[in-house]
Coordinates of all heavy atoms in Angstrom, one line a residue:
R8 N 6.9 17.6 -13.0 CA 7.1 16.4 -12.1 C 8.4 16.5 -11.4 O 8.4 16.3 -10.1 CB 7.1 15.1 -13.0 CG 7.0 13.8 -12.1 CD 6.9 12.6 -13.0 NE 5.6 12.5 -13.6 CZ 5.2 12.5 -14.8 NH1 6.2 12.6 -15.7 NH2 4.0 12.4 -15.2
K9 N 9.5 16.9 -12.0 CA 10.8 17.0 -11.4 C 10.8 18.1 -10.3 O 11.2 17.9 -9.2 CB 11.8 17.3 -12.4 CG 13.3 17.4 -11.9 CD 14.3 17.6 -13.0 CE 15.7 17.7 -12.4 NZ 16.7 18.0 -13.5
I10 N 10.2 19.3 -10.7 CA 10.2 20.4 -9.8 C 9.3 20.1 -8.5 O 9.7 20.3 -7.4 CB 9.6 21.6 -10.5 CG1 10.6 22.1 -11.5 CG2 9.3 22.8 -9.5 CD1 10.0 23.2 -12.5
H11 N 8.2 19.5 -8.8 CA 7.2 19.2 -7.6 C 7.6 18.0 -6.8 O 7.3 18.0 -5.6 CB 5.8 19.1 -8.1 CG 5.2 20.5 -8.4 ND1 4.5 21.2 -7.5 CD2 5.3 21.4 -9.4 CE1 4.1 22.3 -7.9 NE2 4.6 22.5 -9.1
R12 N 8.4 17.1 -7.4 CA 8.9 16.0 -6.5 C 9.9 16.7 -5.5 O 9.9 16.3 -4.3 CB 9.7 15.0 -7.4 CG 8.8 14.0 -8.0 CD 9.6 12.9 -8.7 NE 8.8 11.9 -9.3 CZ 9.1 11.2 -10.4 NH1 10.1 11.5 -11.1 NH2 8.3 10.3 -10.8
E13 N 10.7 17.6 -6.0 CA 11.7 18.3 -5.1 C 10.9 19.1 -4.0 O 11.3 19.1 -2.9 CB 12.6 19.2 -5.9 CG 13.8 19.7 -5.1 CD 14.7 18.7 -4.5 OE1 14.8 17.6 -5.1 OE2 15.3 18.9 -3.5
I14 N 9.9 19.8 -4.5 CA 9.1 20.6 -3.5 C 8.5 19.7 -2.4 O 8.6 20.0 -1.2 CB 7.9 21.3 -4.3 CG1 8.5 22.5 -5.1 CG2 6.8 21.8 -3.3 CD1 7.4 23.1 -6.0
R15 N 8.0 18.5 -2.8 CA 7.4 17.6 -1.9 C 8.5 17.0 -0.9 O 8.2 16.8 0.3 CB 6.7 16.5 -2.7 CG 5.8 15.6 -1.8 CD 5.0 14.7 -2.7 NE 5.8 13.7 -3.4 CZ 5.4 12.7 -4.2 NH1 4.1 12.6 -4.3 NH2 6.2 11.9 -4.8
R16 N 9.6 16.7 -1.5 CA 10.7 16.2 -0.7 C 11.2 17.2 0.4 O 11.7 16.8 1.4 CB 11.9 15.8 -1.5 CG 11.9 14.4 -2.1 CD 13.2 13.9 -2.6 NE 13.6 14.7 -3.8 CZ 13.3 14.3 -5.0 NH1 12.6 13.3 -5.3 NH2 13.7 15.1 -6.0
N17 N 11.1 18.5 0.1 CA 11.5 19.5 1.0 C 10.6 19.8 2.2 O 10.9 20.6 3.0 CB 11.8 20.8 0.2 CG 13.1 20.7 -0.6 OD1 14.0 19.9 -0.3 ND2 13.1 21.4 -1.7
I18 N 9.4 19.2 2.2 CA 8.5 19.3 3.3 C 9.1 18.4 4.5 O 9.4 17.3 4.3 CB 7.1 18.8 3.0 CG1 6.5 19.7 1.9 CG2 6.2 18.9 4.2 CD1 5.2 19.1 1.3
S19 N 9.3 19.0 5.6 CA 9.9 18.3 6.7 C 9.0 17.2 7.2 O 7.7 17.2 7.0 CB 10.2 19.2 7.9 OG 8.9 19.6 8.5
D20 N 9.6 16.1 7.8 CA 8.7 15.0 8.3 C 7.7 15.5 9.3 O 6.6 15.0 9.3 CB 9.6 14.0 9.0 CG 10.5 13.2 8.0 OD1 10.1 13.2 6.8 OD2 11.5 12.6 8.4
Q21 N 8.1 16.5 10.1 CA 7.2 17.0 11.2 C 6.0 17.7 10.5 O 4.8 17.5 10.8 CB 7.9 18.0 12.0 CG 7.1 18.5 13.2 CD 7.8 19.5 14.1 OE1 9.0 19.7 13.9 NE2 7.2 20.0 15.1
D22 N 6.3 18.5 9.5 CA 5.2 19.2 8.8 C 4.3 18.2 8.0 O 3.1 18.3 7.9 CB 5.7 20.3 7.8 CG 6.1 21.6 8.5 OD1 5.8 21.7 9.7 OD2 6.8 22.4 7.8
R23 N 5.0 17.2 7.4 CA 4.2 16.2 6.6 C 3.2 15.5 7.5 O 2.1 15.3 7.2 CB 5.2 15.2 6.0 CG 4.6 14.3 5.0 CD 5.6 13.4 4.3 NE 6.6 14.2 3.5 CZ 7.9 14.3 3.9 NH1 8.3 13.7 5.0 NH2 8.7 15.0 3.2
Q24 N 3.7 15.1 8.7 CA 2.8 14.5 9.7 C 1.6 15.4 10.1 O 0.5 15.0 10.1 CB 3.5 14.0 10.9 CG 4.5 12.8 10.6 CD 5.3 12.5 11.8 OE1 5.3 13.1 12.9 NE2 6.0 11.4 11.7
A25 N 2.0 16.7 10.4 CA 1.0 17.6 10.8 C 0.0 17.9 9.7 O -1.3 17.9 9.9 CB 1.6 18.9 11.3
F26 N 0.4 18.1 8.5 CA -0.4 18.4 7.4 C -1.3 17.2 7.1 O -2.5 17.3 6.7 CB 0.4 18.8 6.1 CG 1.2 20.0 6.2 CD1 2.2 20.3 5.3 CD2 0.9 21.0 7.2 CE1 3.0 21.5 5.4 CE2 1.7 22.2 7.3 CZ 2.7 22.4 6.4
S27 N -0.7 16.0 7.1 CA -1.5 14.8 6.8 C -2.6 14.6 7.9 O -3.7 14.2 7.5 CB -0.6 13.5 6.9 OG 0.4 13.5 5.8
A28 N -2.4 15.0 9.1 CA -3.4 14.9 10.2 C -4.6 15.8 9.8 O -5.7 15.5 10.0 CB -2.8 15.2 11.5
V29 N -4.2 17.1 9.4 CA -5.3 18.0 9.1 C -6.1 17.5 7.9 O -7.3 17.6 7.9 CB -4.6 19.4 8.7 CG1 -5.7 20.4 8.2 CG2 -4.0 20.0 10.0
I30 N -5.4 17.0 6.8 CA -6.1 16.5 5.6 C -7.0 15.4 6.0 O -8.2 15.3 5.6 CB -5.1 16.1 4.6 CG1 -4.4 17.4 4.0 CG2 -5.7 15.4 3.4 CD1 -3.1 17.1 3.2
S31 N -6.5 14.4 6.8 CA -7.3 13.3 7.2 C -8.5 13.7 8.0 O -9.6 13.1 7.7 CB -6.4 12.3 8.1 OG -5.3 11.8 7.3
K32 N -8.4 14.6 8.9 CA -9.5 15.1 9.7 C -10.6 15.7 8.7 O -11.8 15.5 8.9 CB -9.1 16.1 10.7 CG -10.3 16.5 11.6 CD -9.8 17.4 12.8 CE -10.9 17.7 13.7 NZ -12.2 18.0 13.2
S33 N -10.1 16.5 7.8 CA -11.0 17.1 6.8 C -11.8 16.1 6.0 O -13.0 16.2 5.8 CB -10.3 18.1 5.8 OG -9.7 19.1 6.5
I34 N -11.1 15.0 5.6 CA -11.8 13.9 4.9 C -12.8 13.2 5.8 O -14.0 13.1 5.5 CB -10.8 12.9 4.4 CG1 -9.9 13.5 3.3 CG2 -11.5 11.6 3.9 CD1 -8.7 12.7 2.9
I35 N -12.4 12.8 7.0 CA -13.2 12.1 7.9 C -14.5 12.9 8.3 O -15.6 12.4 8.5 CB -12.4 11.7 9.2 CG1 -11.4 10.6 8.8 CG2 -13.3 11.2 10.3 CD1 -10.3 10.3 9.8
D36 N -14.3 14.2 8.4 CA -15.5 15.1 8.8 C -16.4 15.4 7.7 O -17.5 16.0 7.9 CB -14.9 16.4 9.4 CG -14.3 16.2 10.8 OD1 -14.5 15.2 11.4 OD2 -13.6 17.1 11.2
S37 N -16.0 15.1 6.4 CA -16.9 15.5 5.3 C -18.1 14.6 5.1 O -18.0 13.4 5.4 CB -16.0 15.5 4.0 OG -15.7 14.1 3.6
D38 N -19.1 15.2 4.6 CA -20.4 14.4 4.4 C -20.2 13.4 3.3 O -20.7 12.2 3.3 CB -21.5 15.3 4.0 CG -22.0 16.1 5.2 OD1 -21.8 15.7 6.4 OD2 -22.6 17.2 5.0
W39 N -19.4 13.7 2.2 CA -19.2 12.8 1.1 C -18.4 11.6 1.5 O -18.7 10.5 1.0 CB -18.6 13.5 -0.1 CG -17.4 14.4 0.2 CD1 -17.5 15.8 0.4 CD2 -16.0 14.0 0.3 NE1 -16.2 16.3 0.6 CE2 -15.3 15.2 0.6 CE3 -15.4 12.8 0.1 CZ2 -13.9 15.2 0.7 CZ3 -14.0 12.8 0.3 CH2 -13.3 14.0 0.6
Y40 N -17.5 11.7 2.5 CA -16.8 10.5 3.0 C -17.7 9.7 3.9 O -17.8 8.5 3.8 CB -15.5 11.0 3.7 CG -14.9 9.9 4.5 CD1 -14.2 8.9 3.9 CD2 -15.1 9.8 5.9 CE1 -13.6 7.8 4.7 CE2 -14.6 8.8 6.7 CZ -13.8 7.8 6.1 OH -13.3 6.8 6.8
K41 N -18.4 10.4 4.8 CA -19.2 9.7 5.8 C -20.3 8.8 5.1 O -20.6 7.7 5.6 CB -19.9 10.7 6.7 CG -19.0 11.4 7.7 CD -19.8 12.4 8.5 CE -18.9 13.2 9.5 NZ -19.6 14.2 10.2
S42 N -20.8 9.2 4.0 CA -21.9 8.5 3.3 C -21.3 7.4 2.4 O -22.1 6.5 1.9 CB -22.8 9.4 2.5 OG -22.0 10.1 1.5
A43 N -20.0 7.3 2.2 CA -19.5 6.3 1.3 C -19.5 4.9 2.0 O -19.2 4.8 3.2 CB -18.1 6.7 0.9
K44 N -19.7 3.9 1.2 CA -19.7 2.5 1.7 C -18.4 1.8 1.3 O -17.9 0.9 2.1 CB -20.9 1.7 1.2 CG -22.2 2.2 1.8 CD -23.4 1.4 1.3 CE -24.7 1.9 1.9 NZ -25.0 3.3 1.7
T45 N -17.9 2.1 0.1 CA -16.6 1.5 -0.4 C -15.7 2.6 -0.8 O -16.0 3.4 -1.6 CB -16.9 0.5 -1.5 OG1 -17.9 -0.4 -1.1 CG2 -15.7 -0.2 -2.0
V46 N -14.5 2.5 -0.2 CA -13.5 3.6 -0.6 C -12.2 2.9 -1.0 O -11.8 1.9 -0.5 CB -13.2 4.5 0.6 CG1 -14.5 5.3 1.0 CG2 -12.8 3.7 1.9
F47 N -11.5 3.6 -2.0 CA -10.2 3.1 -2.5 C -9.2 4.1 -1.9 O -9.2 5.3 -2.3 CB -10.3 3.2 -4.0 CG -9.0 2.6 -4.7 CD1 -9.1 1.5 -5.5 CD2 -7.8 3.3 -4.5 CE1 -7.9 1.1 -6.2 CE2 -6.7 2.8 -5.2 CZ -6.7 1.7 -6.0
L48 N -8.3 3.6 -1.0 CA -7.3 4.5 -0.4 C -5.9 3.9 -0.9 O -5.9 2.9 -1.5 CB -7.4 4.5 1.1 CG -8.6 5.3 1.6 CD1 -9.2 4.6 2.8 CD2 -8.2 6.7 1.9
Y49 N -4.9 4.6 -0.6 CA -3.6 4.2 -1.0 C -2.7 4.1 0.3 O -3.0 4.8 1.3 CB -2.9 5.1 -2.0 CG -2.8 6.6 -1.5 CD1 -1.6 6.9 -0.8 CD2 -3.8 7.5 -1.7 CE1 -1.4 8.2 -0.3 CE2 -3.6 8.8 -1.2 CZ -2.5 9.2 -0.5 OH -2.3 10.4 -0.1
L50 N -1.7 3.3 0.2 CA -0.7 3.2 1.3 C 0.5 4.1 0.9 O 1.1 3.9 -0.1 CB -0.2 1.7 1.4 CG -1.3 0.7 1.8 CD1 -0.8 -0.7 1.8 CD2 -2.0 1.0 3.1
P51 N 0.7 5.2 1.7 CA 1.6 6.2 1.2 C 3.1 5.8 1.1 O 3.5 5.0 1.9 CB 1.4 7.3 2.3 CG 1.0 6.6 3.5 CD 0.2 5.4 3.0
T52 N 3.7 6.5 0.2 CA 5.2 6.4 0.2 C 5.7 7.5 1.2 O 4.8 8.3 1.7 CB 5.8 6.8 -1.2 OG1 5.4 8.1 -1.6 CG2 5.2 5.8 -2.2
R53 N 6.9 7.6 1.4 CA 7.5 8.5 2.4 C 7.0 10.0 2.2 O 6.8 10.7 3.2 CB 9.0 8.5 2.4 CG 9.6 9.5 3.4 CD 11.1 9.4 3.5 NE 11.6 10.5 4.3 CZ 12.9 10.7 4.5 NH1 13.8 10.1 3.9 NH2 13.2 11.7 5.3
Y54 N 6.9 10.4 0.9 CA 6.7 11.8 0.7 C 5.2 12.2 0.4 O 4.9 13.3 0.2 CB 7.6 12.3 -0.5 CG 9.1 12.1 -0.2 CD1 9.8 11.2 -0.8 CD2 9.7 12.9 0.9 CE1 11.2 11.0 -0.5 CE2 11.0 12.7 1.2 CZ 11.8 11.8 0.5 OH 13.1 11.6 0.8
E55 N 4.4 11.2 0.4 CA 2.9 11.5 0.1 C 2.2 11.8 1.4 O 2.6 11.5 2.5 CB 2.3 10.2 -0.6 CG 2.8 10.0 -2.0 CD 2.3 8.7 -2.6 OE1 2.0 7.8 -1.9 OE2 2.3 8.7 -3.9
V56 N 1.0 12.4 1.1 CA 0.1 12.6 2.3 C -0.3 11.2 2.9 O -0.6 10.3 2.2 CB -1.2 13.3 1.8 CG1 -2.2 13.4 3.0 CG2 -0.9 14.7 1.2
D57 N -0.1 11.1 4.2 CA -0.4 9.9 4.9 C -1.9 9.8 5.3 O -2.3 10.6 6.2 CB 0.5 9.8 6.1 CG 0.5 8.4 6.8 OD1 -0.5 7.7 6.6 OD2 1.4 8.1 7.6
L58 N -2.6 8.9 4.7 CA -4.0 8.8 5.0 C -4.3 7.5 5.9 O -5.4 7.0 5.9 CB -4.9 8.7 3.7 CG -4.8 9.9 2.8 CD1 -5.7 9.7 1.6 CD2 -5.3 11.1 3.6
E59 N -3.3 7.1 6.7 CA -3.5 5.9 7.6 C -4.7 6.2 8.5 O -5.4 5.2 8.8 CB -2.2 5.6 8.3 CG -1.0 5.4 7.5 CD -0.9 3.9 7.0 OE1 -1.7 3.1 7.5 OE2 0.0 3.6 6.2
K60 N -4.9 7.4 9.0 CA -6.0 7.7 10.0 C -7.3 7.5 9.2 O -8.3 7.1 9.9 CB -5.9 9.1 10.5 CG -4.7 9.3 11.4 CD -4.8 8.6 12.7 CE -3.7 8.9 13.7 NZ -3.6 8.0 14.8
V61 N -7.4 7.8 8.0 CA -8.6 7.6 7.2 C -8.9 6.1 7.0 O -10.0 5.7 7.2 CB -8.5 8.3 5.8 CG1 -9.8 8.1 5.1 CG2 -8.3 9.8 6.0
I62 N -7.8 5.4 6.7 CA -8.0 3.9 6.6 C -8.5 3.4 8.0 O -9.5 2.6 8.0 CB -6.6 3.3 6.3 CG1 -6.2 3.6 4.8 CG2 -6.7 1.7 6.4 CD1 -4.9 3.1 4.4
E63 N -7.9 3.8 9.1 CA -8.4 3.3 10.4 C -9.8 3.6 10.6 O -10.6 2.8 11.1 CB -7.5 3.9 11.5 CG -6.1 3.4 11.6 CD -5.3 4.1 12.6 OE1 -5.8 4.9 13.4 OE2 -4.0 4.0 12.5
D64 N -10.2 4.9 10.3 CA -11.6 5.3 10.5 C -12.5 4.5 9.6 O -13.6 4.1 10.0 CB -11.7 6.8 10.2 CG -13.2 7.3 10.4 OD1 -13.6 7.6 11.5 OD2 -13.9 7.3 9.4
A65 N -12.1 4.3 8.3 CA -13.0 3.6 7.4 C -13.2 2.2 7.9 O -14.4 1.7 7.8 CB -12.4 3.6 6.0
V66 N -12.2 1.5 8.3 CA -12.3 0.1 8.8 C -13.2 0.1 10.1 O -14.1 -0.7 10.2 CB -10.9 -0.5 9.1 CG1 -11.1 -1.8 9.9 CG2 -10.1 -0.7 7.8
D67 N -12.9 1.0 11.0 CA -13.7 1.1 12.2 C -15.2 1.4 12.0 O -16.0 0.9 12.8 CB -13.1 2.2 13.2 CG -11.8 1.7 13.8 OD1 -11.4 0.6 13.6 OD2 -11.1 2.6 14.3
S68 N -15.5 2.2 11.0 CA -16.9 2.5 10.7 C -17.6 1.6 9.7 O -18.7 1.8 9.3 CB -17.0 4.0 10.2 OG -16.2 4.2 9.1
G69 N -16.9 0.5 9.4 CA -17.6 -0.6 8.6 C -17.5 -0.4 7.1 O -18.2 -1.1 6.4
K70 N -16.7 0.6 6.7 CA -16.6 0.7 5.2 C -15.8 -0.4 4.6 O -14.9 -1.0 5.3 CB -16.0 2.1 4.9 CG -16.8 3.3 5.3 CD -16.1 4.6 4.9 CE -16.7 5.8 5.6 NZ -18.1 6.0 5.4
K71 N -16.0 -0.7 3.4 CA -15.1 -1.6 2.6 C -13.9 -0.8 2.1 O -14.1 0.2 1.5 CB -15.9 -2.2 1.5 CG -15.1 -3.4 0.8 CD -15.9 -3.9 -0.4 CE -17.1 -4.7 0.0 NZ -17.7 -5.3 -1.2
V72 N -12.7 -1.2 2.5 CA -11.5 -0.4 2.1 C -10.6 -1.2 1.1 O -10.2 -2.3 1.4 CB -10.7 -0.1 3.4 CG1 -9.5 0.7 3.0 CG2 -11.5 0.6 4.4
C73 N -10.5 -0.6 0.0 CA -9.6 -1.2 -1.1 C -8.3 -0.4 -1.2 O -8.3 0.8 -0.9 CB -10.3 -1.1 -2.4 SG -12.0 -1.7 -2.5

Side-chain angles (χ1 to χ4, degrees):
R8 187 176 288 119
K9 182 177 179 182
I10 291 168
H11 280 265
R12 276 183 179 150
E13 189 62 29
I14 287 170
R15 194 172 63 174
R16 270 195 297 269
N17 286 332
I18 299 171
S19 70
D20 289 342
Q21 184 176 358
D22 282 347
R23 192 176 297 111
Q24 289 176 353
F26 297 161
S27 292
V29 171
I30 292 167
S31 295
K32 184 175 186 321
S33 295
I34 291 169
I35 291 167
D36 289 346
S37 70
D38 290 337
W39 45 267
Y40 166 78
K41 287 177 183 175
S42 62
K44 292 179 175 61
T45 304
V46 294
F47 183 119
L48 287 145
Y49 61 89
L50 300 174
T52 62
R53 176 179 176 187
Y54 300 111
E55 291 174 335
V56 175
D57 186 341
L58 296 181
E59 300 274 355
K60 294 290 185 195
V61 180
I62 291 175
E63 289 173 13
D64 179 85
V66 170
D67 290 347
S68 55
K70 298 182 193 302
K71 189 183 289 186
V72 180
C73 310

